[in-house]
Amino acid sequence: MPTGRFALATLGLAGVVALAWFGMIIQIGHFDVDVFLRAGRAVRDGRSPYPAPGTAAVYSGSAFVYPYLTAWPFAVLSRLPDADTVFVAGSVLAVLAGVRLTGARDWRVYALVVTASATIIGLQMGTLNAWLFAALALAWRRRDHPGSAGAAVALAIYSKVFLAPVLLWLVLARRWRAAAVALALLAVLLGVGELVSPLGTASYLTMLGQLGRAEALAGVSLTGLLANVGLPMGGANALARGAALAVLAGCALALRRGHDERLAFTGAVVAGLLASPVVWCHYLLVLVAPLLALSAPADRDGAPTRADGVPTRAVGRPSPVPIAVFATATWFLATPHRSTAAGLAVTAAIGTPLVLSCLLAPGVRGAFAGPRRPTVPKVTLVASLTAVAVALGDIATMLATVHTPSAHVVGSYLVFVGVLALLAWAVRTTATRSTTERDGHGPASPRPTNSHGLPSTEDHAVAPRGVVAP
């Protein structure tokens, strides 16, 4: 990029980040990081950071419910003045670093990720999601390096257990050494935590179960959606986990049929969100890591493979188009805390041209990479699927109204439809040419021609001169 364009891009990104920081991020107290800092001070003073299991304090919204060692870094951070602001500022840098690790160079990609509503809400609250996203991006970027990839996966899973299926990405992709590193580090973290934590594993799992039952109905998880439409909580949990297992099984089958590794990475993150009974809208930031991996245009003749034959990587930089769609969708799903009409108007005035510059830019190759289909059937299919999705949403809303008049299922239903759409796009995007030809969607084999270049009327091959054709 020329120096002048680079300077303008940097200035534009800095302006967008500054507007997000002063206009939205620091407008409220950072509730989650305050919980972490209190837990860090408790650990530093030799006290338990946990609420009493079985009490209402567990789901009060101000209780520390993370693995014990997660509080240790905050024991150090809590000594700093304005520690919450320091953490949130570091989280902004973690988001930018995560985008960089995925290979993005277009400043609009950085701006759209930072200003997505899911990102803003997570930063307002001071959650761990920015760091989880950065860990997933690091694991993807360093996937050919078992030590760093395995360590990143292990730390992400230990911090948020719903990311446990990400370990299966390494297994499905046959990255055995990285999987071994992740398992070993997880075993060390869990073992040390068991030795020093004031709360045993059984009590901790009981506490998580209580938290899940209390918060599932208010979030955007599949478990909450199913429970809100009338299923018992146990059955809703079982169905959600079954859906997650089905996604992982489908990814395993697709990889055997020639799809590249990005499908396993995407499926693992999606499976984690589907299986978790507690999902808030700001959790969706973790989807950006596989989304950007999928956004890089792939070699349609087949991705490069490792020695064991597994396709390993895409070619090129991530396109801004999919992340523009994601960022726009998150704003329709939820708006940041304390949003005002004036603030939303400013956001729309800045965000709309940014999104349109991505969607309408000519010559964006590979933005939605995949085998080409005829336009009319594609439009018909999209319209049909949209109609089905709207109809099912109406049914879910009516069932929820009958079961629980105050239930809110629109958000959880939209998230469910969104992750299914992401999976469908991942299947299409990661299909190599050999896969699509085997499924009957690829280009037809060229018809034999004669010496003049005209189509041959013979069904059999022309024998060389002097050789009698069978």
Side-chain angles (χ1 to χ4, degrees):
M1 179 184 293
T3 304
R5 289 183 59 190
F6 177 78
L8 287 175
T10 303
L11 185 61
L13 177 59
V16 169
V17 172
L19 286 172
W21 177 267
F22 292 106
M24 289 177 282
I25 295 173
I26 63 171
Q27 293 299 312
I28 67 169
H30 309 302
F31 305 117
D32 278 36
V33 72
D34 287 342
V35 170
F36 295 132
L37 292 171
R38 284 199 303 271
R41 285 190 289 270
V43 168
R44 196 178 67 214
D45 296 338
R47 296 179 286 108
S48 173
Y50 293 110
T55 65
V58 171
Y59 49 87
S60 65
S62 59
F64 181 76
V65 290
Y66 294 83
Y68 185 70
L69 299 184
T70 309
W72 283 16
F74 294 93
V76 178
L77 184 62
S78 62
R79 293 182 179 274
L80 300 178
D82 297 321
D84 56 344
T85 303
V86 172
F87 176 80
V88 175
S91 298
V92 174
L93 295 178
V95 172
L96 297 174
V99 177
R100 177 77 179 186
L101 286 168
T102 61
R105 297 297 181 267
D106 191 327
W107 75 275
R108 295 172 299 178
V109 175
Y110 292 80
L112 288 167
V113 174
V114 170
T115 56
S117 180
T119 308
I120 295 293
I121 295 172
L123 293 172
Q124 285 181 323
M125 299 181 67
T127 66
L128 295 179
N129 297 323
W131 302 92
L132 298 177
F133 162 61
L136 292 176
L138 176 62
W140 178 253
R141 176 65 176 266
R142 301 285 295 176
R143 60 195 181 277
D144 292 327
H145 302 268
S148 51
V153 168
L155 291 173
I157 293 173
Y158 184 79
S159 300
K160 277 284 193 179
V161 69
F162 81 86
L163 289 174
V166 175
L167 181 61
L168 296 179
W169 153 51
L170 300 176
V171 174
L172 293 177
R174 302 178 189 175
R175 297 188 179 276
W176 308 118
R177 289 190 293 170
V181 170
L183 280 172
L185 182 54
L186 270 175
V188 170
L189 292 171
L190 293 172
V192 172
E194 181 68 20
L195 290 174
V196 300
S197 174
L199 195 64
T201 301
S203 298
Y204 179 71
L205 293 177
T206 300
M207 183 177 67
L208 287 186
Q210 180 188 2
L211 181 70
R213 290 188 295 273
E215 295 189 346
L217 297 177
V220 293
S221 67
L222 179 57
T223 298
L225 171 63
L226 296 173
N228 272 320
V229 298
L231 269 67
M233 185 61 70
N237 252 323
L239 283 176
R241 290 168 184 172
L245 289 175
V247 167
L248 293 171
C251 290
L253 178 62
L255 260 67
R256 292 185 63 183
R257 293 174 61 84
H259 289 256
D260 72 63
E261 184 180 358
R262 294 173 297 163
L263 179 59
F265 184 51
T266 304
V269 178
V270 166
L273 290 171
L274 290 177
S276 177
V278 178
V279 176
W280 303 107
C281 58
H282 50 80
Y283 283 25
L284 301 182
L285 176 59
V286 299
L287 289 174
V288 174
L291 183 65
L292 290 177
L294 290 167
S295 301
D299 179 3
R300 305 313 308 161
D301 291 324
T305 59
R306 300 199 312 270
D308 56 10
V310 177
T312 181
R313 65 175 70 249
V315 180
R317 304 297 186 191
S319 162
V321 176
I323 199 62
V325 175
F326 170 84
T328 304
T330 63
W331 276 91
F332 282 100
L333 178 65
T335 55
H337 298 292
R338 295 191 180 177
S339 295
T340 63
L344 292 176
V346 171
T347 301
I350 296 174
T352 301
L354 188 61
V355 169
L356 290 178
S357 72
C358 299
L359 299 180
L360 303 180
V364 179
R365 180 180 180 273
F368 292 94
R372 294 185 179 276
R373 307 283 199 279
T375 301
V376 173
K378 184 188 298 184
V379 171
T380 303
L381 177 62
V382 170
S384 301
L385 291 177
T386 302
V388 170
V390 171
L392 291 176
D394 288 339
I395 293 173
T397 302
M398 288 187 292
L399 288 174
T401 302
V402 171
H403 182 255
T404 308
S406 60
H408 300 286
V409 298
V410 175
S412 53
Y413 180 72
L414 290 177
V415 169
F416 179 61
V417 171
V419 296
L420 289 184
L422 175 61
L423 274 176
W425 179 52
V427 170
R428 180 175 182 268
T429 300
T430 58
T432 59
R433 178 172 294 176
S434 59
T435 306
T436 56
E437 288 180 357
R438 181 167 59 248
D439 292 340
H441 298 305
S445 300
R447 186 176 180 182
T449 57
N450 58 24
S451 58
H452 301 289
L454 300 175
S456 173
T457 58
E458 299 293 332
D459 291 332
H460 57 74
V462 178
R465 181 176 297 178
V467 178
V468 178

